[in-house]
Amino acid sequence: MIKNIYRQGRTIFSFEVFPPKKEEEFNDIYNTLNKLKTLNPDFISVTYGAGGSNSKKTAAIASYIKNSCDIEPIAHLTAVAMDEAFLTDFINELKEKGVSNVLALRGDRPKDMSDEAYANRRFLHAEDIIRIIRRESDICIAGACYPEIHPESESRESDLYYLKQKVDTGVDFLITQMFFNNHKFYKFRELAEKKGIHVPISAGIMPITSAKQLGTSVTLSGTSVPGELSSLVAKYADAPEDLRKAGIEYAVKQIEDLIANTVDGIHIYTMNKADTAKEIMEQLSISKI
Ligand code: FAD
């Protein structure tokens, strides 16, 4: 179980991958995982579609990570379109496949979910599924957290209040939303500690390797972009290879600073790009890990 790896007293390294949209792309994700395996991550997480339509893919990929790559997998799951029976079935399916870690999320409203279905959803918050998973199994549970506050939160205070409540319900460790300014993470970590949140926190690092990325996933996440990073993207607007190199260097600098500041873990959002993860790991001198 992943919670035991954090007890080794060193910085834990992990990667995130997402299931392919099309069945015929499954070989690509398995090739990606075979490459990521050579980097010896402590665990690999697999995302989950908010509506639940790709839950089988998440489970199959998590199973491959465990049974073919011999690495601890963590399957994401989102509560927004689930009921209790679906939740129990999914957890049982994971257990049958040897997957004993889940990242329990609320998820965002799927585009095709009606107002009525959303208003009447069974689970309102991640905490609601964490309570059930914890009651019914001894699986390791992770939760999400937001160094720059969840976009729907009224204030930092209320976000931390509910985070503490979520952790106390049964979270073993946390993974953060991506951030590009380490000082925001350090402030969040200090406030969480003061609030009595003592589980390990892995820092989510998104290497920016194309200009398009800033306009999509980053904007949607509500994460702020420091001037240094947006200047790099502007500077290399017409030089995609140079931008990729600069984005990787930025991520390496961020990670080295986090390690120097005794972060519990680094979680790299790979966007299924094993080469990017490899370059980052190679540029980090092993003595820093
Ligand atoms: P919650 O913890 O439920 O929090 C959501 C909001 O509600 C916050 O503002 C919080 O302060 C508030 N809140 C929490 N509990 C309560 C309560 N009891 N009463 C009142 N307010 C409360 N999405 C996907 O669809 N698939 C994925 O695979 C996926 N992976 C992710 C991985 C990570 C590491 C992160 C950080 C996010 C991921 N997301 C994913 C996005 C996530 O689903 C969204 O950010 C979603 O909006 C919130 O999910 P949560 O679990 O953090 O929600």
Side-chain angles (χ1 to χ4, degrees), residues 207-220:
I208 296 299
T209 55
S210 76
K212 204 175 124 207
Q213 245 175 302
L214 275 193
T216 50
S217 41
V218 176
T219 309
L220 285 175

Side-chain angles (χ1 to χ4, degrees), residues 77-254:
L77 74 161
T78 61
V80 66
M82 255 183 201
D83 61 17
E84 213 155 321
F86 190 103
L87 175 62
T88 306
D89 286 353
F90 187 64
I91 298 292
N92 286 339
E93 181 181 2
L94 292 178
K95 280 198 204 152
E96 277 161 24
K97 289 180 156 63
V99 178
S100 48
N101 311 284
V102 291
L103 173 54
L105 300 146
R106 183 200 70 181
D108 292 315
R109 179 179 173 173
K111 284 191 196 84
D112 59 357
M113 196 175 193
S114 69
D115 290 348
E116 197 193 351
Y118 187 66
N120 294 318
R121 69 193 190 276
R122 167 67 181 84
F123 302 118
L124 295 182
H125 305 287
E127 183 194 323
D128 302 328
I129 55 169
I130 291 167
R131 185 171 299 106
I132 294 175
I133 302 169
R134 187 45 83 230
R135 193 182 65 209
E136 294 185 358
S137 82
D138 58 359
I139 207 161
C140 173
I141 306 176
C145 62
Y146 302 82
E148 297 187 52
I149 310 181
H150 186 273
E152 290 165 35
S153 285
E154 277 170 25
S155 63
R156 160 78 74 199
E157 189 47 42
S158 85
D159 207 28
L160 280 171
Y161 174 87
Y162 289 120
L163 181 62
K164 163 85 172 128
Q165 199 167 289
K166 175 162 84 172
V167 168
D168 288 349
T169 304
V171 167
D172 295 305
F173 68 98
L174 292 166
I175 302 179
T176 75
Q177 179 60 281
M178 69 181 91
F179 59 88
F180 302 107
N181 179 342
N182 287 0
H183 293 291
K184 297 205 186 260
F185 172 78
Y186 299 139
K187 186 75 204 162
F188 163 75
R189 186 172 64 170
E190 185 193 321
L191 292 173
E193 181 73 30
K194 277 193 189 141
K195 191 86 192 163
I197 297 169
H198 301 308
V199 294
I201 305 176
S202 270
I205 299 296
M206 168 79 91
I208 296 299
T209 55
S210 76
K212 204 175 124 207
Q213 245 175 302
L214 275 193
T216 50
S217 41
V218 176
T219 309
L220 285 175
S221 72
T223 302
S224 62
V225 180
E228 192 192 340
L229 184 58
S230 50
S231 301
L232 283 180
V233 173
K235 181 174 171 189
Y236 297 119
D238 299 321
E241 255 318 300
D242 291 341
L243 172 56
R244 183 173 176 279
K245 205 167 147 243
I248 288 174
E249 269 169 26
Y250 189 96
V252 168
K253 245 171 62 186
Q254 246 196 301

